[in-house]
Structure formats: structure tokens, C-alpha cells
Amino acid sequence: MDGGRVVLAVMGAVDWANAGALRATALEEIAAGARKLVLDFSFLSFWDSSGMGAVASAYRRATDVGASVVLAGLSPMLEKTYRLTGMDTVVPLHRDVCTALTA
């Protein structure tokens, strides 16, 4: 944590089997005082609606306590899916972690 900013690097796949772990970790960081939570998906190869649900849960909790959640580094294919869901209008997406941290 740097000045209330936390980066969580997510690797591999996020699906029904492990989305709960992402959700729990994100909520723990917010409860511990993260003011800006950056989910670094640079190394994410797959995610389904369970993963998007975990992001939505983190966003709702962060909003409740005056914090924020942003995404960084989605591959072009996963970014397309993310934008099609409309979630990018709620949880911002940035090109990389550095951009996300300074936005």
C-alpha cells in the first residue's frame, strides 16, 4: 500500500472456481484502508461473469466507504468483452498500472 493505493496483480484465469478469492482479497484490502484499489489484469488470460461479479462487489464496497476501484492492463480480447458488458462506464479501465495509479 502506497498512500492508500493498492495494486492487486491477478494472473491466469478468474472463473467460478476462484472468483471468490479475488472478491475476498479485494474486500480485505478495502477494509484495511485502501483508498484506490487497482486490479492489474495484465497477466489475466480468461475471466467469466464470476470474475466480473467480483469486480462489481469490490466496486460497490469501495464506493460505500469513499474509495475507488479501477482496472488496468486487460488484453484487447478481454477488454472488448468488458466494454460490451458496459462495466467500463462504471469501473474505469486503464492501459497500465502506472496510468491507473495517476488517474
Side-chain angles (χ1 to χ4, degrees):
M1 190 179 306
D2 172 29
R5 301 179 303 173
V6 173
V7 177
L8 287 180
V10 182
M11 296 180 220
V14 177
D15 57 20
W16 66 271
N18 58 15
L22 172 60
R23 177 182 293 106
T25 301
L27 295 179
E28 287 170 12
E29 292 295 341
I30 293 164
R35 305 313 301 152
K36 183 173 202 171
L37 179 61
V38 178
L39 299 175
D40 179 8
F41 286 164
S42 298
F43 300 102
L44 187 70
S45 59
F46 174 82
W47 69 337
D48 64 11
S49 60
S50 302
M52 290 187 203
V55 171
S57 292
Y59 171 80
R60 282 191 301 274
R61 180 67 54 88
T63 301
D64 288 346
V65 298
S68 64
V69 173
V70 299
L71 304 184
L74 276 175
S75 71
M77 186 175 81
L78 296 179
E79 179 180 343
K80 182 178 179 180
T81 303
Y82 186 67
R83 291 190 188 282
L84 285 172
T85 66
M87 281 188 61
D88 62 309
T89 62
V90 178
V91 182
L93 172 62
H94 298 279
R95 180 174 37 89
D96 55 44
V97 172
C98 291
T99 305
L101 287 170
T102 58

